[in-house]
Amino acid sequence: MSIPGDLKYTKSHEWTRSEADGTVMVGITHHAQELLGDMVYVETPAVGRQLAAGEECAVVESVKAASDVYAPVAGEVIAVNADVVDAPEKINQDAYAAWMFKMKPSNPADLDGLLAAAAYQTLVESEAH
Amino acid sequence: MLKQTPLNQTHRDMGARMVDFGGWDMPVNYGSQIEEHHQVRRAAGMFDVCHMLVVDVTGIGIREFLQTLLANNVDKLKEPGKALYSCMLNPAGGVIDDLIVYFMREDWFRIVVNAGTADKDVAWIELQRTAHAPQLTIRPRRDLAMIAVQGPQAREKVWQAIPAARAATESLKPFQAAEFDQYFIGRTGYTGEDGFEIMLPVAEAADLWKTLNTLGVAPIGLGARDTLRLEAGMNLYGQDMGEEVNPLEAGLAWTVELTSPRDFIGKPALLAKPVKMQMLGLVLLDKGVLRGHQKVATPHGAGEITSGSFSPTLNQSIAFASLPLGVAVGDVVQVEIRDKLLNAKVVKLPFARNGKSLINI
């Protein structure tokens, strides 16, 4: 199981990567893509959309099932990754490179409330039992 | 506690991702569902179908019994070894299960039923036996394993794995079976490809599976089984049909034989019901994925998707939809997906056969 130590995670299996400019990249975890299987469709939020923490804002669909993606924190969508929309299988190939959208958090301190790698690993292990 | 097939440990050893499938612990894939799908269309793959149940019916007068029990007419089975696809209906005309019945001898017919309905099916068959043909013996065969090998290379691979099978099965036509040694092999399947379904003693199943694998036959999970059968236009029990579904509306009219004077369970109810819906294919024109239960808007009224997925062969999303009569092949309808209306084209089923797309969009 791949859970990079420099990222933060949500209970709903999104990962976030904080950039130097205060923005945050969001994708779904390696564990999530493994559960979903071969990705065939990705729907990203509109640039400029204001998200509440935990709001449904994107959709990933594998051959098997559709799954909602939730905003890890409140903020504005400032960019989306057209590459994963064109080639959803990139999420299967490398979940932590295949970011889905970038956001500017309303309150950067909200990121402190997300899970560190060890805590996310514990969560995944507990869900497996 | 989930039920396990004789191949359970073998699946785990081969790296399968296991899921609860109607109470059975089954492989959903061994890595990539899409690659497994292509493997079956392009070469050969094998499926653990041991969770399905073989039921042997023996005794005198089976043919008459099955003419009452089944909606299709076993009189179509004239040569020993011939198989027939049929629904088994309740008195209201709903589908208890869909099954394959093999005619072996006048005193031996073999039925293969779905996993999720197996107990219900056996109870129903026994109930009808008691009422109509108490002399017959109904024997569920949990002592038999079942492995399906499907794909353009499937038969050749089986002949390499079981050399004696070549002479016994080379002349089998589609939907025909032969019994030899410890094997019962039918040229049947659920993928739209050529291939065999092999029944054999449980103790031999893992060896055959491993031998086939060394010959290049890939293990295929339930995920690819579903996309293959969807492309092949094959109904799935519980999704595309069930006890509340009229088979004449669910694309199964070709299996309901109404022309002969015989009386079968469910026939009066079917004849009394007006047919209002039809089962057709959809190909999504916009981006997204069609799924079961999505609503379909048409100029003739509302319809609903019964099964939908992404089609690896067509590289776009496809579905079976229950649509009002009046909707025709070539029409464009709207499917409601997450509050949006997306365009889909109505097509004839199946979508693919023998490795090739049959759809031009």
Side-chain angles (χ1 to χ4, degrees), chain B residues 10 14 39 44-46 149 153 156-158 160-162 205-219:
Chain B
T10 312
M14 288 183 168
Q39 170 78 16
M46 58 187 168
V149 188
Q153 297 171 10
E156 195 60 50
K157 297 288 185 189
V158 170
Q160 286 171 32
I162 314 170
D207 277 350
L208 176 61
W209 186 268
K210 287 171 194 164
T211 303
L212 285 164
N213 191 233
T214 60
L215 293 167
V217 180

Side-chain angles (χ1 to χ4, degrees), chain B residues 158 162 165 169 172 176-178 180 183-187 196-198:
Chain B
V158 170
I162 314 170
T169 62
L172 287 183
Q176 217 176 15
F180 68 98
Y183 303 101
F184 181 103
I185 299 184
R187 195 174 175 189
F196 286 139
E197 290 183 301
I198 304 166

Side-chain angles (χ1 to χ4, degrees), chain B residues 137-149:
Chain B
T137 301
I138 311 296
R139 188 174 162 214
R141 299 294 304 270
R142 282 285 172 217
D143 57 317
L144 293 181
M146 187 153 64
I147 295 171
V149 188

Side-chain angles (χ1 to χ4, degrees), chain B residues 40 42 52 145 148 159 187 213 215 247 266 323:
Chain B
V40 174
R42 294 166 186 169
M52 297 177 74
W159 293 331
R187 195 174 175 189
N213 191 233
L215 293 167
L323 300 172

Side-chain angles (χ1 to χ4, degrees), chain B residues 23-320:
Chain B
W24 288 84
D25 186 41
M26 297 297 290
V28 63
N29 65 59
Y30 301 79
S32 166
Q33 172 176 346
I34 290 180
E35 278 170 35
E36 288 165 28
H37 181 108
H38 289 317
Q39 170 78 16
V40 174
R41 289 268 178 263
R42 294 166 186 169
M46 58 187 168
F47 303 78
D48 177 2
V49 281
C50 296
H51 58 314
M52 297 177 74
L53 180 64
V54 178
V55 182
D56 280 336
V57 186
T58 53
I60 303 300
I62 308 170
R63 197 178 278 277
E64 294 70 27
F65 172 64
L66 294 179
Q67 281 183 328
T68 302
L69 185 74
L70 303 178
N72 211 338
N73 191 347
V74 289
D75 253 6
K76 293 173 186 171
L77 301 174
K78 300 199 189 305
E79 276 174 77
K82 206 60 192 130
L84 183 74
Y85 175 68
S86 180
C87 289
M88 182 163 71
L89 305 181
N90 61 28
V95 184
I96 294 175
D97 199 9
D98 66 322
L99 51 83
I100 290 180
V101 55
Y102 295 91
F103 160 52
M104 300 310 291
R105 297 191 307 261
E106 285 303 334
D107 63 350
W108 173 32
F109 283 66
R110 171 165 282 185
I111 298 175
V112 179
V113 301
N114 280 304
T117 50
D119 294 342
K120 171 183 88 165
D121 292 348
V122 171
W124 177 255
I125 295 169
E126 284 177 342
L127 187 70
Q128 298 312 318
R129 182 267 317 264
T130 304
H132 298 283
Q135 76 282 9
L136 297 179
T137 301
I138 311 296
R139 188 174 162 214
R141 299 294 304 270
R142 282 285 172 217
D143 57 317
L144 293 181
M146 187 153 64
I147 295 171
V149 188
Q150 300 274 292
Q153 297 171 10
R155 295 196 310 147
E156 195 60 50
K157 297 288 185 189
V158 170
W159 293 331
Q160 286 171 32
I162 314 170
R166 186 186 288 270
T169 62
E170 204 162 23
S171 62
L172 287 183
K173 297 185 188 80
F175 256 67
Q176 217 176 15
E179 190 200 23
F180 68 98
D181 298 341
Q182 58 185 330
Y183 303 101
F184 181 103
I185 299 184
R187 195 174 175 189
T188 50
Y190 194 52
T191 61
E193 298 298 323
D194 197 0
F196 286 139
E197 290 183 301
I198 304 166
M199 295 163 219
L200 75 171
V202 157
E204 312 295 327
D207 277 350
L208 176 61
W209 186 268
K210 287 171 194 164
T211 303
L212 285 164
N213 191 233
T214 60
L215 293 167
V217 180
I220 310 296
L222 291 172
R225 182 171 164 84
D226 192 54
T227 49
L228 288 160
R229 70 94 193 167
L230 191 64
E231 287 182 354
M234 313 253 189
N235 285 31
L236 174 63
Y237 192 83
Q239 272 181 229
D240 309 308
M241 60 180 138
E243 298 217 16
E244 308 306 317
V245 175
N246 179 345
L248 301 179
E249 294 185 334
L252 294 165
W254 64 279
T255 74
V256 180
E257 190 271 334
L258 290 166
T259 50
S260 72
R262 92 197 150 97
D263 203 9
F264 61 85
I265 298 165
K267 183 178 181 181
L270 285 187
L271 292 175
K273 280 183 200 173
V275 171
K276 294 175 181 167
M277 306 297 280
Q278 57 182 333
M279 184 78 98
L280 288 165
L282 294 183
V283 175
L284 187 62
L285 300 174
D286 295 324
K287 277 195 151 196
V289 184
L290 302 172
R291 305 281 182 193
H293 307 299
Q294 287 169 349
K295 302 284 175 228
V296 184
T298 85
H300 305 274
E304 188 176 323
I305 288 179
T306 56
S307 282
S309 187
F310 174 81
S311 158
T313 303
L314 274 62
N315 201 32
Q316 57 198 129
S317 186
I318 59 171
F320 298 162

Side-chain angles (χ1 to χ4, degrees), chain A residues 31 34-43 56 59-68 85-87, chain B residues 17 19 28-29 31-35 223 227 287-291 294 308-310 312 337-338 340 342:
Chain A
H31 173 69
E34 210 170 59
L35 283 182
L36 286 163
D38 298 291
M39 292 295 172
V40 292
Y41 177 68
V42 172
E43 199 174 287
E56 290 172 16
V59 176
V60 287
E61 294 207 43
S62 67
V63 181
K64 204 165 73 183
S67 187
D68 291 316
V85 173
D86 292 341
Chain B
R17 174 169 291 280
V19 293
V28 63
N29 65 59
S32 166
Q33 172 176 346
I34 290 180
E35 278 170 35
T227 49
K287 277 195 151 196
V289 184
L290 302 172
R291 305 281 182 193
Q294 287 169 349
S309 187
F310 174 81
I337 305 180
R338 287 183 291 275
K340 277 187 237 167
L342 302 186

